[in-house]
Amino acid sequence: MSVDADRDHAAELASPKSGLQGFPVDAICTGCQRVHVKQVRPEDVGQSIDVDPVTLEADSLTSFRHVCHRCGKVTWWNPTTVLSGLIEAKRSAEE
């Protein structure tokens, strides 16, 4: 079984460590290689502010700077997955 299968993406998103605004992506810290859910604004990952994040693929996103709580500093993160399921769940809850 993969380590990823044991992760709770929704709980990670709810954590203050994920950030305060934007859409959720799974990303890897370039410092310590930790993978965690982070919230990113479209403009922080090289996208138009009016893009629908559900339509995005991780390989179309640029690296972004965010706090790594394991490293204890702001580091570069590389998106690995756009968490479209979490985006859709949030939209459904808001309706």
Side-chain angles (χ1 to χ4, degrees), residues 61-81:
L61 306 178
T62 62
S63 297
F64 60 95
R65 292 183 57 86
H66 208 284
V67 173
C68 178
H69 294 273
R70 181 180 290 167
C71 290
K73 58 186 174 184
V74 175
T75 62
W76 287 99
W77 291 76
N78 294 322
T80 58
T81 309

Side-chain angles (χ1 to χ4, degrees), residues 23 40-51 56-65 76 79:
F23 62 92
V40 295
R41 297 177 303 176
E43 60 269 28
D44 293 338
V45 288
Q47 300 296 315
S48 169
I49 60 170
D50 60 350
V51 70
L56 298 173
E57 295 293 330
D59 59 0
S60 68
L61 306 178
T62 62
S63 297
F64 60 95
R65 292 183 57 86
W76 287 99

Side-chain angles (χ1 to χ4, degrees), residues 12 18 37 51 75 89:
E12 288 182 33
S18 74
V37 174
V51 70
T75 62

Side-chain angles (χ1 to χ4, degrees), residues 1-6:
M1 179 181 263
S2 157
V3 174
D4 272 356
D6 295 336

Side-chain angles (χ1 to χ4, degrees), residues 11-56:
E12 288 182 33
L13 178 61
S15 164
K17 295 177 182 178
S18 74
L20 301 175
Q21 57 183 317
F23 62 92
V25 297
D26 218 16
I28 186 167
C29 172
T30 60
C32 67
Q33 305 303 300
R34 176 184 189 204
V35 178
H36 198 275
V37 174
K38 295 292 183 181
Q39 293 187 77
V40 295
R41 297 177 303 176
E43 60 269 28
D44 293 338
V45 288
Q47 300 296 315
S48 169
I49 60 170
D50 60 350
V51 70
D52 181 357
V54 174
T55 65
L56 298 173

